[in-house]
Amino acid sequence: MRKENIIWKDGLPVHVLAASVQEWPLHYHRDPELIYVLRGAVRIRSGGYEQRLSAGDIFVVNANEPHEIQKTEKREEMEEENLVLFLSFRTEHFAVYHPELEKYFFAVQEKDQSRKEVQLLRERMGSIMLEILDRGRQ
């Protein structure tokens, strides 16, 4: 298992990546990561269990938690390729505002996916991604 080092660009306390996932081998990183499936489906193994995520699902990977992600096997010819948004946030930056942050454990369970708080999280993740893309254009 390898440690993945996140490169924090332009002094931002968040890192965003949108990618189609074939296989992301077992790894971990120092900071938490939010995984938001925009299209298609992926399978994630983390914390001793496996979960299939479909378009619209969010999964939280806590700091230093080993995890791996793979595309799902196509069930039908019509199933589309996946597109996944990965958003990492720099714990040390946000710990200034929330000193206990490094002790928190985050989770979004399957039953929580339809809650209004999770919908708000989806919207905020999209806004952050658009802000970063817009910043790059300027």
Side-chain angles (χ1 to χ4, degrees):
M1 173 177 39
R2 66 181 174 84
K3 179 179 181 184
E4 184 177 273
N5 291 313
I6 298 169
I7 299 170
W8 304 100
K9 297 180 181 176
D10 302 326
L12 294 174
V14 295
H15 178 267
V16 177
L17 171 69
S20 177
V21 175
Q22 298 299 311
E23 181 178 11
W24 211 308
L26 189 63
H27 68 284
Y28 69 98
H29 23 81
R30 183 173 174 252
D31 297 287
E33 177 178 58
L34 299 171
I35 299 172
Y36 179 14
V37 180
L38 301 172
R39 184 176 65 220
V42 295
R43 185 175 61 241
I44 184 163
R45 289 188 185 110
S46 178
Y49 59 93
E50 181 178 309
Q51 185 172 342
R52 184 180 194 274
L53 304 175
S54 299
D57 288 345
I58 290 182
F59 189 89
V60 180
V61 178
N62 287 285
N64 299 309
E65 185 174 353
H67 59 287
E68 64 181 316
I69 306 164
Q70 296 176 329
K71 71 176 184 173
T72 57
E73 296 300 320
K74 290 188 177 185
R75 295 184 196 164
E76 304 173 8
E77 246 350 92
M78 301 301 287
E79 189 170 339
E80 60 190 338
E81 289 297 317
N82 64 56
L83 180 61
V84 182
L85 175 65
F86 299 91
L87 189 145
S88 300
F89 59 94
R90 196 172 200 167
T91 308
E92 67 185 37
H93 172 84
F94 292 100
V96 171
Y97 307 103
H98 303 282
E100 300 291 312
L101 184 62
E102 292 182 352
K103 298 177 184 175
Y104 290 168
F105 178 84
F106 301 96
V108 176
Q109 298 179 359
E110 194 170 344
K111 64 181 175 149
D112 296 332
Q113 293 292 335
S114 61
R115 291 183 60 178
K116 64 181 179 183
E117 294 88 354
V118 176
Q119 181 56 34
L120 180 61
L121 181 58
R122 286 183 189 96
E123 292 169 11
R124 296 282 166 86
M125 288 179 72
S127 295
I128 290 169
M129 182 177 147
L130 292 173
E131 272 297 316
I132 289 173
L133 289 172
D134 191 47
R135 185 177 182 163
R137 283 191 279 266
Q138 295 176 7

